[in-house]
Amino acid sequence: MPRQSPRPNRPAHITPRHAAPPTPRYALEADVIEGLEDFASDELEARFGARVRLGTNRPGAQRFSYSGDLRALLELRSVVAVYLVQQLDIPRPKALLGNQQFGQISALAEAAIALASPGTFRTLRLSAAGENSAVFTRFKEQLAARFGLTVAADEGDLLVRVRRAAEAEGWEVLVRLTPRPLATRSWRVCNLPGAMNASLAHAMAVLTAPRPSDTLLNVACGSATLLIEWLALSQARRAIGCDTDPAALACARQNLQAAGYAREVQLEAWDAGALLLDDASVDVILGDLPFGQLVGTHRQNIALYPQVLAEAARVARPGARMALLTHEVRLLEQAADQFAEAWQVLEVLRVRTGGMTPRVVLFERR
């Protein structure tokens, strides 16, 4: 029998018929609370590894590319929202109505709509400079008609942003993946005025390096945003939330129930300056201190802040971590100086949210 010659190598450009199609790589941008960009990039790399390639990181935004199922991006906790991005080499917005460009934009919208249950997307909102011009009015009407949506004047399920390209000539279109921002958590069934942004609460929880062996205390817990975001990262040996406002505690119970943590958290009507806890019994302390605007007054805070740090020092174990948020920056600095023998400042984050620039201060119990 003649000897068979070895099978020749298949040319690199020929794809076997049984091979899976290549995974698409998407261009995306994440809205981030200004000051928390590093938390977003860290989470993207930790979750997705080589599937993510980070791009430009500028205040309030993180550009990246991603290969994989877009649904996985909906689990991100450090970002406010995620958008698909389409760069368009066009001189002016009128070209958005061209067949090629309109088709590319429609593909972005179709990808976002496909991530949700049928009927979830009902309205469309266009955000652009000159959005009420004749060109943009025609564009949003055609896009709404393409997907059977109603054009909305303010909030819309399908949010489309059009702007000049930041890093190239032309324009870019961004389509939000979700009908509401990711920071608008599904568990938030009760909302209080001035409630924390959940992505900021997530960052504060990350700062404390959660461990299952921790006893967690959230002073002035409000609607339980900090508690829920911390418990989403780790179990706790014991989790306690306290507030003197009965309405806040009732709201916290609703949100904890919706998040699935109602049985894991002990809610108490305690004053942050007079805790019914043993000395050196807590590992992590979280607090969104009153800003003296929607909640409390500046005069009240002058007395409150030192009380909080003193009582926290009493109940904290050596090495305990404490993360506090405040807009009364000078008051917290003064209180930190007053209790410098008890608390060491490890990190200060300056963030911009809701038109304000509060600080997150991370302490360690000496």
Side-chain angles (χ1 to χ4, degrees):
M1 178 180 291
R3 187 178 179 181
Q4 291 184 344
S5 60
R7 182 178 297 176
N9 292 329
R10 181 182 290 110
H13 65 277
I14 297 178
T15 302
R17 291 184 179 181
H18 62 271
T23 303
R25 179 162 286 274
Y26 302 96
L28 298 123
E29 179 171 306
D31 276 350
V32 186
I33 288 181
E34 190 172 329
L36 302 182
E37 295 83 3
D38 288 346
F39 289 85
S41 58
D42 288 349
E43 185 185 11
L44 284 166
E45 290 185 320
R47 280 183 181 268
F48 304 118
R51 286 186 289 160
V52 159
R53 297 173 189 164
L54 298 180
T56 304
N57 181 340
R58 64 177 189 270
Q62 172 67 64
R63 297 297 285 263
F64 65 100
S65 66
Y66 166 77
S67 60
D69 188 346
L70 288 173
R71 287 178 179 82
L73 297 174
L74 308 188
E75 301 300 319
L76 290 168
R77 307 190 73 85
S78 60
V79 306
V80 176
V82 179
Y83 296 79
L84 284 163
V85 181
Q86 179 66 59
Q87 299 276 354
L88 298 171
D89 186 15
I90 56 176
R92 58 186 64 86
K94 185 176 181 180
L96 295 172
L97 296 167
N99 288 337
Q100 178 181 347
Q101 290 79 14
F102 192 80
Q104 290 174 308
I105 297 166
S106 296
L108 298 188
E110 188 171 10
I113 292 172
L115 298 177
S117 302
T120 300
F121 285 83
R122 300 187 179 190
T123 58
L124 177 145
R125 165 82 168 94
L126 176 67
S127 175
E131 61 194 54
N132 294 320
S133 67
V135 168
F136 278 132
T137 297
R138 184 181 170 196
F139 168 72
K140 61 188 174 185
E141 287 177 348
Q142 287 193 9
L143 192 61
R146 165 72 176 78
F147 294 100
L149 306 176
T150 301
V151 175
D154 42 28
E155 291 294 327
D157 301 324
L158 185 67
L159 176 59
V160 180
R161 295 161 60 186
V162 180
R163 67 190 185 196
R164 288 190 179 274
E167 301 173 5
E169 295 295 325
W171 293 72
E172 57 188 17
V173 177
L174 297 86
V175 176
R176 191 173 65 192
L177 290 181
T178 51
R180 292 294 177 267
L182 292 178
T184 304
R185 305 285 201 245
S186 60
W187 52 257
R188 195 183 289 281
V189 295
C190 178
N191 199 14
L192 293 176
M196 277 192 75
N197 181 287
S199 61
L200 175 54
H202 167 82
M204 289 179 63
V206 169
L207 280 177
T208 67
R211 299 175 301 210
S213 59
D214 287 335
T215 293
L216 167 67
L217 170 66
N218 181 192
V219 297
C221 68
S223 57
T225 304
L226 280 165
L227 284 166
I228 293 170
E229 291 300 312
W230 198 97
L231 290 169
L233 295 174
S234 174
Q235 292 179 322
R237 176 186 298 176
R238 184 184 182 191
I240 308 163
C242 66
D243 204 297
T244 57
D245 183 359
L249 291 173
C251 190
R253 288 189 186 93
Q254 294 180 54
N255 288 333
L256 287 165
Q257 181 70 39
Y261 299 126
R263 294 186 177 182
E264 299 180 37
V265 177
Q266 171 186 345
L267 291 177
E268 300 287 354
W270 295 344
D271 189 308
L275 301 168
L276 299 182
L277 290 169
D278 293 338
D279 295 354
S281 60
V282 174
D283 302 289
V284 176
I285 300 170
L286 295 171
D288 176 7
L289 299 181
F291 285 13
Q293 296 173 340
L294 289 176
V295 178
T297 66
H298 175 71
R299 182 178 296 276
Q300 291 171 335
N301 288 346
I302 291 173
L304 175 65
Y305 281 29
Q307 291 173 1
V308 170
L309 265 66
E311 186 67 348
R314 181 184 69 79
V315 302
R317 292 191 177 102
R321 296 90 69 201
M322 177 169 69
L324 300 177
L325 173 71
T326 185
H327 197 257
E328 293 262 45
V329 179
R330 185 60 187 147
L331 284 185
L332 187 56
E333 288 176 346
Q334 292 170 349
D337 290 341
Q338 183 179 347
F339 294 95
E341 291 186 2
W343 292 108
Q344 177 185 1
V345 176
L346 298 182
E347 191 169 351
V348 179
L349 289 178
R350 181 179 185 271
V351 298
R352 182 179 296 276
T353 176
M356 307 177 76
T357 54
R359 303 288 195 278
V360 176
V361 183
L362 177 66
F363 298 88
E364 183 180 68
R365 182 69 167 95
R366 295 186 187 277

